[in-house]
Amino acid sequence: GQPIIVTPQPGVSDTVRFFAANRSITGMEIERFDSVDNAKGSRPVDVLASRLFKKGAEKITMYYNVVRIEAPGERWSTLESAAKDDIEHLFEYYGNEAGWSDDALATEGVTFKRVEPSE
């Protein structure tokens, strides 16, 4: 997959962090997640939000190349590096937890017919 470089930045409040990526995460629509229940889809933004909620995020907003995460201030000592890692590896397409692997897509009813190159 395409590597992503992420730069974390503190928000005005100690409960907010911004993560700026060197490529887009979303389309041209603001994506808001107020709970893990809003992150049930299979789109990359849903996969990322679900992962971040599991690590302690309480609210997530994504737009283009920025992910804004709200969490209690005391969680940021571990959440910041975990969130950065999740964003940087979002579009890697190998492994069952990648969001786009064959196994992950099969759970959504998507399968691919592999075609071997002819010689």
Side-chain angles (χ1 to χ4, degrees), residues 30-111:
I30 296 172
E31 301 280 350
R32 290 186 178 91
F33 299 89
D34 293 327
S35 74
V36 70
D37 294 332
N38 300 119
K40 296 292 186 189
S42 60
R43 303 173 305 147
V45 293
D46 299 318
V47 171
L48 178 58
S50 176
R51 291 174 184 172
L52 295 171
F53 279 121
K54 288 176 185 174
K55 292 188 173 123
E58 292 186 343
K59 290 186 180 181
I60 302 162
T61 304
M62 298 181 222
Y63 177 68
Y64 190 61
N65 71 323
V66 176
V67 178
R68 179 187 183 274
I69 303 172
E70 291 183 47
E74 64 273 6
R75 287 193 188 153
W76 283 112
S77 62
T78 56
L79 180 56
E80 185 170 305
S81 64
K84 180 179 183 287
D85 188 62
D86 280 349
I87 298 165
E88 288 181 337
H89 299 285
L90 177 63
F91 291 109
E92 292 175 354
Y93 50 81
Y94 49 86
N96 288 335
E97 296 299 317
W100 296 104
S101 69
D102 289 346
D103 291 342
L105 289 172
T107 64
E108 300 298 321
V110 177
T111 57

Coordinates of all heavy atoms in Angstrom, one line a residue, residues 30-111:
I30 N -16.9 16.1 5.2 CA -16.5 15.9 6.6 C -17.1 14.6 7.1 O -18.3 14.4 6.9 CB -16.9 17.1 7.4 CG1 -16.2 18.4 6.9 CG2 -16.6 16.9 8.9 CD1 -16.7 19.7 7.6
E31 N -16.3 13.8 7.8 CA -16.7 12.6 8.4 C -16.7 12.7 9.9 O -15.6 13.0 10.4 CB -15.8 11.4 7.9 CG -15.8 11.2 6.4 CD -17.0 10.4 5.9 OE1 -17.8 9.9 6.7 OE2 -17.1 10.3 4.7
R32 N -17.8 12.6 10.5 CA -17.9 12.7 12.0 C -18.3 11.4 12.6 O -19.3 10.8 12.2 CB -18.9 13.8 12.4 CG -18.4 15.2 12.0 CD -19.4 16.2 12.6 NE -18.9 17.6 12.3 CZ -19.3 18.3 11.2 NH1 -20.1 17.7 10.3 NH2 -18.8 19.5 11.0
F33 N -17.7 11.0 13.7 CA -18.0 9.8 14.4 C -18.1 10.2 15.9 O -17.1 10.6 16.5 CB -16.9 8.8 14.2 CG -16.7 8.3 12.8 CD1 -15.8 9.0 12.0 CD2 -17.4 7.3 12.3 CE1 -15.6 8.7 10.6 CE2 -17.2 6.9 10.9 CZ -16.4 7.6 10.1
D34 N -19.3 10.1 16.5 CA -19.5 10.4 17.9 C -19.4 9.1 18.8 O -19.4 9.3 20.0 CB -20.9 11.0 18.1 CG -20.9 12.4 17.4 OD1 -19.9 13.1 17.4 OD2 -22.0 12.8 16.9
S35 N -19.4 8.0 18.1 CA -19.3 6.7 18.9 C -18.9 5.6 17.9 O -19.0 5.7 16.7 CB -20.6 6.4 19.6 OG -21.5 5.9 18.6
V36 N -18.5 4.5 18.5 CA -18.1 3.3 17.7 C -19.3 2.8 16.9 O -19.1 2.2 15.8 CB -17.5 2.2 18.6 CG1 -18.5 1.6 19.5 CG2 -16.8 1.2 17.8
D37 N -20.5 3.1 17.3 CA -21.7 2.7 16.6 C -21.8 3.4 15.2 O -22.4 2.9 14.3 CB -23.0 2.9 17.4 CG -23.1 2.1 18.6 OD1 -22.5 1.0 18.6 OD2 -23.7 2.5 19.6
N38 N -21.2 4.5 15.1 CA -21.2 5.3 13.8 C -20.1 4.8 12.9 O -20.0 5.2 11.7 CB -20.9 6.8 14.0 CG -22.0 7.4 14.9 OD1 -21.7 7.9 15.9 ND2 -23.2 7.4 14.5
A39 N -19.2 3.8 13.3 CA -18.1 3.4 12.6 C -18.2 1.9 12.2 O -17.3 1.1 12.4 CB -16.8 3.6 13.4
K40 N -19.4 1.5 11.7 CA -19.6 0.1 11.4 C -19.4 -0.3 9.9 O -19.5 -1.4 9.6 CB -21.1 -0.2 11.8 CG -21.4 -0.1 13.2 CD -20.6 -1.2 14.0 CE -21.0 -1.1 15.5 NZ -20.2 -1.9 16.3
G41 N -19.1 0.7 9.1 CA -19.0 0.4 7.6 C -17.6 -0.2 7.3 O -16.8 -0.5 8.2
S42 N -17.4 -0.4 6.0 CA -16.1 -1.0 5.5 C -15.3 0.1 4.8 O -14.2 -0.3 4.3 CB -16.4 -2.2 4.6 OG -17.2 -1.8 3.5
R43 N -15.7 1.3 4.7 CA -14.9 2.3 4.1 C -13.6 2.6 4.9 O -13.7 2.3 6.2 CB -15.7 3.6 3.9 CG -16.9 3.5 3.2 CD -17.7 4.8 3.2 NE -17.9 5.2 4.6 CZ -18.0 6.5 5.0 NH1 -17.9 7.5 4.2 NH2 -18.2 6.8 6.3
P44 N -12.6 3.1 4.3 CA -11.4 3.3 5.2 C -11.6 4.2 6.4 O -11.1 4.0 7.4 CB -10.4 4.0 4.2 CG -10.8 3.4 2.8 CD -12.3 3.3 2.9
V45 N -12.5 5.2 6.2 CA -12.7 6.1 7.4 C -13.4 5.4 8.5 O -13.2 5.6 9.7 CB -13.5 7.4 7.0 CG1 -12.7 8.3 6.1 CG2 -14.8 7.0 6.3
D46 N -14.3 4.4 8.1 CA -15.0 3.6 9.1 C -14.0 2.7 9.8 O -14.1 2.5 11.1 CB -16.1 2.8 8.5 CG -17.2 3.6 7.8 OD1 -17.6 4.7 8.4 OD2 -17.6 3.3 6.7
V47 N -13.2 2.1 9.1 CA -12.2 1.2 9.6 C -11.3 1.9 10.6 O -11.0 1.5 11.7 CB -11.3 0.5 8.5 CG1 -10.2 -0.3 9.1 CG2 -12.2 -0.4 7.7
L48 N -10.8 3.1 10.2 CA -9.9 3.9 11.0 C -10.6 4.3 12.3 O -10.1 4.2 13.4 CB -9.4 5.1 10.3 CG -8.5 6.0 11.1 CD1 -7.3 5.3 11.6 CD2 -8.0 7.2 10.2
A49 N -11.8 4.8 12.2 CA -12.6 5.3 13.3 C -12.8 4.2 14.3 O -12.6 4.3 15.5 CB -13.9 5.9 12.9
S50 N -13.2 3.0 13.8 CA -13.4 1.8 14.7 C -12.1 1.5 15.5 O -12.2 1.3 16.7 CB -13.8 0.6 13.8 OG -13.9 -0.5 14.6
R51 N -11.0 1.5 14.8 CA -9.7 1.2 15.5 C -9.4 2.3 16.5 O -8.9 1.9 17.6 CB -8.6 1.2 14.4 CG -8.7 0.0 13.5 CD -7.6 0.1 12.4 NE -7.8 -1.0 11.5 CZ -7.1 -1.1 10.4 NH1 -6.2 -0.2 10.0 NH2 -7.3 -2.1 9.5
L52 N -9.6 3.5 16.2 CA -9.3 4.6 17.2 C -10.3 4.6 18.4 O -9.8 4.8 19.5 CB -9.4 6.0 16.5 CG -8.4 6.2 15.4 CD1 -8.7 7.5 14.6 CD2 -7.0 6.2 16.0
F53 N -11.5 4.2 18.2 CA -12.4 4.1 19.3 C -12.0 3.0 20.2 O -12.0 3.1 21.5 CB -13.9 3.9 18.9 CG -14.6 5.1 18.5 CD1 -15.1 5.2 17.2 CD2 -14.8 6.2 19.4 CE1 -15.8 6.4 16.8 CE2 -15.4 7.3 19.0 CZ -16.0 7.4 17.7
K54 N -11.5 1.9 19.7 CA -11.1 0.7 20.5 C -9.9 1.1 21.3 O -9.6 0.5 22.3 CB -10.7 -0.5 19.6 CG -11.9 -1.1 19.0 CD -11.6 -2.2 18.0 CE -12.8 -2.8 17.4 NZ -12.5 -3.8 16.3
K55 N -9.1 2.1 20.9 CA -7.9 2.5 21.6 C -8.2 3.7 22.6 O -7.3 4.1 23.3 CB -6.8 2.9 20.6 CG -6.4 1.7 19.9 CD -5.2 2.0 19.1 CE -4.7 0.6 18.5 NZ -4.6 0.6 17.1
G56 N -9.4 4.2 22.7 CA -9.8 5.2 23.7 C -10.3 6.5 23.2 O -10.6 7.4 24.0
A57 N -10.4 6.7 21.9 CA -11.0 8.0 21.3 C -12.4 8.1 21.7 O -13.1 7.0 21.9 CB -10.8 8.0 19.8
E58 N -12.9 9.3 21.9 CA -14.3 9.5 22.3 C -15.1 10.2 21.1 O -16.3 9.9 21.0 CB -14.4 10.3 23.5 CG -13.9 9.5 24.7 CD -14.2 10.2 26.0 OE1 -14.4 11.5 26.0 OE2 -14.1 9.6 27.1
K59 N -14.4 11.0 20.3 CA -15.1 11.6 19.2 C -14.0 11.8 18.1 O -12.8 12.1 18.4 CB -15.6 13.0 19.5 CG -16.9 12.9 20.3 CD -17.5 14.3 20.5 CE -18.7 14.2 21.4 NZ -19.4 15.5 21.5
I60 N -14.4 11.6 16.8 CA -13.4 11.7 15.7 C -14.0 12.5 14.6 O -15.2 12.2 14.3 CB -13.0 10.3 15.2 CG1 -12.5 9.4 16.4 CG2 -12.1 10.3 14.1 CD1 -12.5 7.9 16.1
T61 N -13.3 13.4 14.0 CA -13.7 14.1 12.8 C -12.6 14.0 11.8 O -11.4 14.2 12.2 CB -14.0 15.6 13.1 OG1 -14.9 15.7 14.2 CG2 -14.5 16.3 11.9
M62 N -12.9 13.6 10.6 CA -11.9 13.5 9.5 C -12.4 14.4 8.4 O -13.5 14.4 8.0 CB -11.8 12.1 9.1 CG -11.3 11.1 10.1 SD -11.1 9.5 9.4 CE -11.8 8.5 10.8
Y63 N -11.4 15.1 7.8 CA -11.6 15.9 6.6 C -10.4 15.9 5.8 O -9.3 16.4 6.3 CB -12.2 17.3 6.9 CG -12.4 18.1 5.6 CD1 -13.4 17.7 4.7 CD2 -11.5 19.1 5.3 CE1 -13.5 18.5 3.6 CE2 -11.7 19.9 4.2 CZ -12.7 19.5 3.3 OH -12.9 20.2 2.1
Y64 N -10.4 15.4 4.6 CA -9.3 15.4 3.6 C -8.1 14.7 4.3 O -8.1 13.5 4.4 CB -9.0 16.8 3.1 CG -8.1 16.7 1.9 CD1 -8.4 16.0 0.8 CD2 -6.8 17.4 2.0 CE1 -7.5 16.0 -0.3 CE2 -5.9 17.3 1.0 CZ -6.2 16.6 -0.2 OH -5.4 16.5 -1.2
N65 N -7.1 15.5 4.7 CA -5.9 14.9 5.2 C -5.7 15.0 6.7 O -4.6 14.8 7.3 CB -4.7 15.4 4.5 CG -4.3 16.8 4.9 OD1 -5.2 17.6 5.0 ND2 -3.1 17.1 4.9
V66 N -6.7 15.5 7.4 CA -6.6 15.8 8.9 C -7.6 14.9 9.6 O -8.8 14.8 9.3 CB -6.8 17.2 9.2 CG1 -6.8 17.5 10.7 CG2 -5.8 18.1 8.5
V67 N -7.1 14.3 10.7 CA -8.0 13.5 11.6 C -7.9 14.2 13.0 O -6.8 14.5 13.5 CB -7.5 12.1 11.8 CG1 -8.3 11.3 12.8 CG2 -7.4 11.4 10.4
R68 N -9.1 14.6 13.5 CA -9.2 15.3 14.8 C -9.8 14.3 15.7 O -10.8 13.7 15.5 CB -10.1 16.5 14.7 CG -10.3 17.3 16.0 CD -11.4 18.3 15.8 NE -11.6 19.1 17.0 CZ -12.4 18.8 18.0 NH1 -13.1 17.7 17.9 NH2 -12.5 19.6 19.0
I69 N -9.1 14.1 16.9 CA -9.5 13.1 17.8 C -9.7 13.8 19.2 O -8.8 14.5 19.6 CB -8.5 11.9 18.0 CG1 -8.3 11.3 16.6 CG2 -8.9 10.9 19.0 CD1 -7.1 10.3 16.6
E70 N -10.8 13.5 19.8 CA -11.0 13.9 21.2 C -10.9 12.7 22.1 O -11.5 11.6 21.8 CB -12.4 14.5 21.4 CG -12.6 15.8 20.7 CD -14.0 16.4 20.9 OE1 -14.4 16.5 22.1 OE2 -14.6 16.8 19.9
A71 N -10.2 12.9 23.2 CA -10.1 11.8 24.2 C -9.7 12.5 25.5 O -9.2 13.6 25.5 CB -9.0 10.8 23.8
P72 N -10.0 11.8 26.7 CA -9.5 12.4 27.9 C -8.0 12.7 27.9 O -7.2 11.9 27.4 CB -9.9 11.3 29.0 CG -11.0 10.6 28.3 CD -10.7 10.6 26.8
G73 N -7.6 13.8 28.5 CA -6.2 14.2 28.5 C -5.3 13.1 29.0 O -4.2 13.0 28.5
E74 N -5.7 12.3 30.0 CA -4.8 11.3 30.6 C -4.5 10.2 29.6 O -3.5 9.4 29.8 CB -5.3 10.8 31.9 CG -6.6 10.0 31.9 CD -7.8 10.9 32.0 OE1 -7.7 12.2 32.0 OE2 -8.9 10.4 32.0
R75 N -5.3 10.0 28.6 CA -5.1 8.9 27.6 C -4.1 9.2 26.6 O -3.6 8.3 25.9 CB -6.4 8.6 26.9 CG -7.4 7.9 27.8 CD -8.5 7.3 27.0 NE -9.6 6.8 27.9 CZ -10.8 6.7 27.6 NH1 -11.2 7.1 26.4 NH2 -11.7 6.2 28.5
W76 N -3.8 10.5 26.4 CA -2.9 10.9 25.2 C -1.5 10.4 25.3 O -0.8 10.2 24.3 CB -2.9 12.4 25.0 CG -4.2 12.8 24.4 CD1 -5.2 13.5 24.9 CD2 -4.6 12.4 23.0 NE1 -6.2 13.7 24.0 CE2 -5.9 13.0 22.8 CE3 -4.0 11.7 22.0 CZ2 -6.6 12.8 21.6 CZ3 -4.7 11.5 20.8 CH2 -6.0 12.1 20.6
S77 N -1.0 10.0 26.5 CA 0.3 9.5 26.6 C 0.5 8.2 25.8 O 1.6 8.0 25.3 CB 0.7 9.3 28.1 OG -0.1 8.3 28.7
T78 N -0.5 7.4 25.7 CA -0.4 6.2 24.9 C -1.2 6.3 23.6 O -0.8 5.7 22.6 CB -0.9 5.0 25.7 OG1 -2.3 5.2 26.1 CG2 0.0 4.7 26.9
L79 N -2.3 7.1 23.6 CA -3.2 7.1 22.4 C -2.5 7.9 21.2 O -2.7 7.5 20.1 CB -4.5 7.8 22.8 CG -5.5 8.0 21.7 CD1 -5.9 6.6 21.0 CD2 -6.8 8.7 22.2
E80 N -1.7 8.9 21.5 CA -1.1 9.6 20.4 C -0.3 8.8 19.5 O -0.5 8.8 18.3 CB -0.3 10.8 20.9 CG 0.2 11.7 19.8 CD 0.8 13.0 20.3 OE1 0.2 13.7 21.0 OE2 2.0 13.2 19.9
S81 N 0.6 8.0 20.0 CA 1.5 7.1 19.1 C 0.6 6.0 18.5 O 0.9 5.7 17.3 CB 2.6 6.6 19.9 OG 2.2 5.7 20.9
A82 N -0.4 5.5 19.2 CA -1.2 4.4 18.6 C -2.1 5.0 17.5 O -2.2 4.4 16.4 CB -2.1 3.8 19.7
A83 N -2.6 6.2 17.6 CA -3.4 6.8 16.6 C -2.5 7.1 15.4 O -2.9 6.9 14.2 CB -4.1 8.1 17.1
K84 N -1.4 7.7 15.6 CA -0.4 8.0 14.5 C -0.1 6.7 13.7 O -0.2 6.7 12.5 CB 0.9 8.6 15.1 CG 1.9 9.0 14.0 CD 3.1 9.6 14.7 CE 4.2 10.0 13.7 NZ 4.9 9.0 13.1
D85 N 0.1 5.6 14.4 CA 0.4 4.3 13.8 C -0.8 3.8 13.0 O -0.6 3.4 11.8 CB 0.8 3.3 14.8 CG 1.4 2.0 14.2 OD1 2.4 2.1 13.5 OD2 0.7 1.0 14.5
D86 N -2.0 3.9 13.5 CA -3.1 3.5 12.8 C -3.4 4.2 11.5 O -3.7 3.7 10.5 CB -4.4 3.6 13.7 CG -4.5 2.4 14.7 OD1 -3.8 1.4 14.6 OD2 -5.4 2.5 15.6
I87 N -3.2 5.5 11.6 CA -3.4 6.4 10.4 C -2.3 6.1 9.3 O -2.6 5.9 8.2 CB -3.4 7.9 10.8 CG1 -4.5 8.2 11.7 CG2 -3.5 8.7 9.5 CD1 -4.4 9.5 12.4
E88 N -1.0 6.0 9.8 CA 0.0 5.7 8.8 C -0.1 4.4 8.1 O 0.3 4.2 7.0 CB 1.4 5.8 9.6 CG 1.8 7.2 9.9 CD 3.1 7.3 10.6 OE1 3.6 6.3 11.2 OE2 3.7 8.4 10.6
H89 N -0.7 3.4 8.7 CA -0.8 2.1 8.1 C -2.2 1.8 7.6 O -2.5 0.6 7.3 CB -0.4 1.0 9.2 CG 1.0 1.2 9.6 ND1 2.1 0.8 8.8 CD2 1.6 1.7 10.7 CE1 3.2 1.1 9.4 NE2 2.9 1.7 10.5
L90 N -3.1 2.8 7.5 CA -4.5 2.6 7.1 C -4.6 1.9 5.7 O -5.4 1.1 5.5 CB -5.2 3.9 7.1 CG -6.7 3.9 6.6 CD1 -7.5 3.0 7.5 CD2 -7.3 5.3 6.6
F91 N -3.8 2.4 4.8 CA -4.0 1.9 3.4 C -3.1 0.8 3.0 O -3.0 0.5 1.8 CB -3.8 3.1 2.4 CG -5.0 4.1 2.5 CD1 -4.7 5.3 3.1 CD2 -6.2 3.8 2.1 CE1 -5.8 6.3 3.2 CE2 -7.3 4.7 2.2 CZ -7.0 5.9 2.8
E92 N -2.4 0.2 3.9 CA -1.7 -1.0 3.6 C -2.7 -2.1 3.4 O -3.6 -2.3 4.2 CB -0.7 -1.4 4.7 CG 0.4 -0.3 4.9 CD 1.3 -0.6 6.0 OE1 1.0 -1.5 6.8 OE2 2.3 0.2 6.2
Y93 N -2.5 -2.9 2.3 CA -3.5 -3.8 1.9 C -3.1 -5.3 2.1 O -3.5 -6.2 1.4 CB -4.0 -3.6 0.5 CG -2.8 -3.5 -0.5 CD1 -2.2 -4.6 -1.0 CD2 -2.4 -2.3 -0.9 CE1 -1.2 -4.6 -1.9 CE2 -1.4 -2.2 -1.9 CZ -0.8 -3.3 -2.3 OH 0.2 -3.2 -3.2
Y94 N -2.4 -5.5 3.2 CA -2.0 -6.9 3.5 C -2.3 -7.1 5.0 O -2.4 -6.2 5.8 CB -0.5 -7.2 3.2 CG 0.4 -6.2 3.8 CD1 0.9 -6.3 5.1 CD2 0.8 -5.1 3.0 CE1 1.7 -5.3 5.6 CE2 1.7 -4.2 3.5 CZ 2.1 -4.3 4.8 OH 3.0 -3.3 5.3
G95 N -2.6 -8.3 5.3 CA -3.0 -8.7 6.7 C -4.4 -8.6 6.9 O -5.1 -7.7 6.4
N96 N -5.0 -9.4 7.8 CA -6.4 -9.5 8.1 C -6.9 -8.2 8.7 O -8.1 -7.9 8.6 CB -6.7 -10.7 8.9 CG -6.6 -11.9 8.1 OD1 -6.7 -11.9 6.9 ND2 -6.4 -13.0 8.8
E97 N -6.1 -7.4 9.4 CA -6.6 -6.2 10.1 C -6.4 -5.0 9.2 O -6.6 -3.9 9.7 CB -5.8 -6.0 11.4 CG -6.1 -7.1 12.4 CD -7.6 -7.2 12.7 OE1 -8.2 -6.2 12.9 OE2 -8.1 -8.4 12.8
A98 N -6.0 -5.1 8.0 CA -5.7 -4.0 7.1 C -7.0 -3.2 6.6 O -6.9 -2.1 6.2 CB -4.9 -4.4 5.9
G99 N -8.1 -3.9 6.7 CA -9.3 -3.3 6.2 C -9.7 -3.6 4.8 O -10.8 -3.6 4.4
W100 N -8.7 -3.9 4.0 CA -8.9 -4.2 2.6 C -8.3 -5.5 2.2 O -8.2 -5.8 1.0 CB -8.3 -3.1 1.7 CG -8.9 -1.8 1.9 CD1 -8.4 -0.7 2.7 CD2 -10.2 -1.4 1.5 NE1 -9.3 0.3 2.7 CE2 -10.4 -0.1 2.0 CE3 -11.2 -2.0 0.8 CZ2 -11.6 0.6 1.8 CZ3 -12.4 -1.3 0.5 CH2 -12.6 0.0 1.0
S101 N -7.9 -6.3 3.1 CA -7.4 -7.6 2.8 C -8.5 -8.5 2.3 O -9.7 -8.3 2.4 CB -6.7 -8.3 4.0 OG -7.8 -8.6 5.0
D102 N -8.1 -9.6 1.6 CA -9.1 -10.5 1.1 C -10.1 -11.0 2.2 O -11.3 -11.1 2.0 CB -8.5 -11.7 0.4 CG -7.8 -11.4 -0.9 OD1 -8.0 -10.3 -1.4 OD2 -7.0 -12.2 -1.4
D103 N -9.5 -11.4 3.3 CA -10.3 -11.9 4.4 C -11.3 -10.8 5.0 O -12.4 -11.1 5.2 CB -9.5 -12.4 5.6 CG -8.7 -13.6 5.2 OD1 -9.1 -14.3 4.3 OD2 -7.7 -13.9 5.9
A104 N -10.8 -9.6 5.1 CA -11.6 -8.5 5.6 C -12.7 -8.2 4.6 O -13.9 -7.9 5.0 CB -10.8 -7.2 5.9
L105 N -12.4 -8.1 3.3 CA -13.4 -7.9 2.3 C -14.4 -9.0 2.2 O -15.6 -8.7 2.0 CB -12.7 -7.6 0.9 CG -12.0 -6.3 0.8 CD1 -11.2 -6.3 -0.5 CD2 -12.9 -5.1 0.9
A106 N -14.0 -10.2 2.4 CA -14.9 -11.4 2.3 C -16.0 -11.2 3.4 O -17.2 -11.6 3.2 CB -14.2 -12.7 2.5
T107 N -15.7 -10.6 4.6 CA -16.7 -10.5 5.6 C -17.8 -9.5 5.1 O -18.9 -9.5 5.7 CB -16.1 -10.0 6.9 OG1 -15.6 -8.7 6.7 CG2 -15.1 -10.9 7.4
E108 N -17.5 -8.7 4.1 CA -18.5 -7.7 3.6 C -19.1 -8.3 2.3 O -19.9 -7.6 1.6 CB -17.8 -6.4 3.2 CG -17.1 -5.7 4.4 CD -18.1 -5.3 5.5 OE1 -19.3 -4.9 5.1 OE2 -17.8 -5.5 6.7
G109 N -18.8 -9.6 2.0 CA -19.4 -10.2 0.8 C -18.7 -9.9 -0.5 O -19.2 -10.2 -1.6
V110 N -17.5 -9.4 -0.4 CA -16.7 -9.0 -1.6 C -15.6 -10.1 -1.8 O -14.9 -10.4 -0.9 CB -16.0 -7.7 -1.5 CG1 -15.2 -7.3 -2.7 CG2 -17.1 -6.6 -1.2
T111 N -15.6 -10.7 -3.0 CA -14.6 -11.7 -3.3 C -14.0 -11.3 -4.7 O -14.6 -10.7 -5.5 CB -15.1 -13.1 -3.4 OG1 -16.2 -13.2 -4.3 CG2 -15.7 -13.5 -2.0

